[in-house]
Amino acid sequence: MEEVLATFKAEAFRNAIRLYRDACILYASASYPSAFALGVLSYEELGKVHRIDRVCDAMCLNPEGRAEFYGWITSGNLLTDHKQKQISALLETSPGRLHDPRGRFVVGGGLDQAKQQALYVDLQDDKVLTPTRITREKAYAQLQECLSALEGCDDLGFNGFECASTPKSEWL
């Protein structure tokens, strides 16, 4: 169980970085809506890493409840609710920003809605809404937010089940 969670956490972190790098490539190619959407997905994946890490902490502190905590990871929506993963990323990387405009935007579901706008064409009140609503500036702001969150993680993705930093985890 511990090795599975350590691997899960590391792979989710690697995926967050992959998504971020892909978003940067799209941004450089002037595909701003897609860059924004992948930037949000990277941020969500980072929120997932933090949620896995919290479950690892809970299991370490409460060994008698290990099976129950592990069940939270393998069932339910602990790791699939997009808005909750976004909130986790915000709380874990920028807790002081919870009540600023960005925090209210994330908590209120605005980031998840903007991600949808970046991906889909909609019809609203006889008006066609395209992903071009996501501008270069919005994409850049999301990529900056995501980069800051990734940089603030130190070796979180690689410090294992017990969250113990090692020279190897720091190098990774």
Side-chain angles (χ1 to χ4, degrees):
M1 186 179 324
E2 290 87 356
E3 186 61 34
V4 169
L5 289 175
T7 300
F8 188 25
K9 185 169 71 163
E11 291 303 322
F13 189 75
R14 282 186 180 100
N15 196 44
I17 292 169
R18 179 192 63 83
L19 289 165
Y20 178 77
R21 290 172 69 189
D22 289 352
C24 291
I25 291 167
L26 288 167
Y27 182 86
S29 300
S31 184
Y32 304 122
S34 296
F36 178 89
L38 281 185
V40 174
L41 293 176
S42 174
Y43 196 68
E44 289 175 8
E45 196 75 344
L46 189 58
K48 181 191 295 182
V49 171
H50 284 289
R51 288 181 147 220
I52 296 165
D53 188 64
R54 289 290 182 183
V55 169
C56 291
D57 288 347
M59 290 171 74
C60 287
L61 294 171
N62 304 289
E64 69 285 345
R66 284 176 106 102
E68 182 180 354
F69 291 121
Y70 190 73
W72 289 355
I73 289 284
T74 58
S75 64
N77 68 350
L78 183 69
L79 302 178
T80 58
D81 184 305
H82 302 287
K83 180 179 161 188
Q84 291 304 315
K85 290 187 291 184
Q86 294 165 7
I87 293 170
S88 289
L90 175 73
L91 287 173
E92 296 294 338
T93 61
S94 307
R97 298 192 56 203
L98 186 60
H99 300 292
D100 74 5
R102 167 74 179 187
R104 288 192 303 271
F105 181 68
V106 171
V107 171
L111 184 59
D112 198 50
Q113 183 179 7
K115 177 183 71 178
Q116 299 297 322
Q117 291 171 353
L119 295 170
Y120 302 110
V121 174
D122 284 322
L123 181 62
Q124 191 175 61
D125 299 323
D126 294 328
K127 184 176 179 183
V128 176
L129 304 173
T130 67
T132 58
R133 294 178 283 172
I134 304 299
T135 63
R136 177 181 187 210
E137 293 75 22
K138 287 179 184 177
Y140 184 78
Q142 179 57 38
L143 292 177
Q144 285 295 108
E145 225 22 82
C146 192
L147 177 61
S148 177
L150 286 165
E151 289 175 338
C153 285
D154 297 321
D155 67 343
L156 177 72
F158 306 113
N159 63 13
F161 174 79
E162 294 179 352
C163 309
S165 293
T166 65
K168 182 178 179 181
S169 71
E170 291 171 4
W171 178 80
L172 287 169

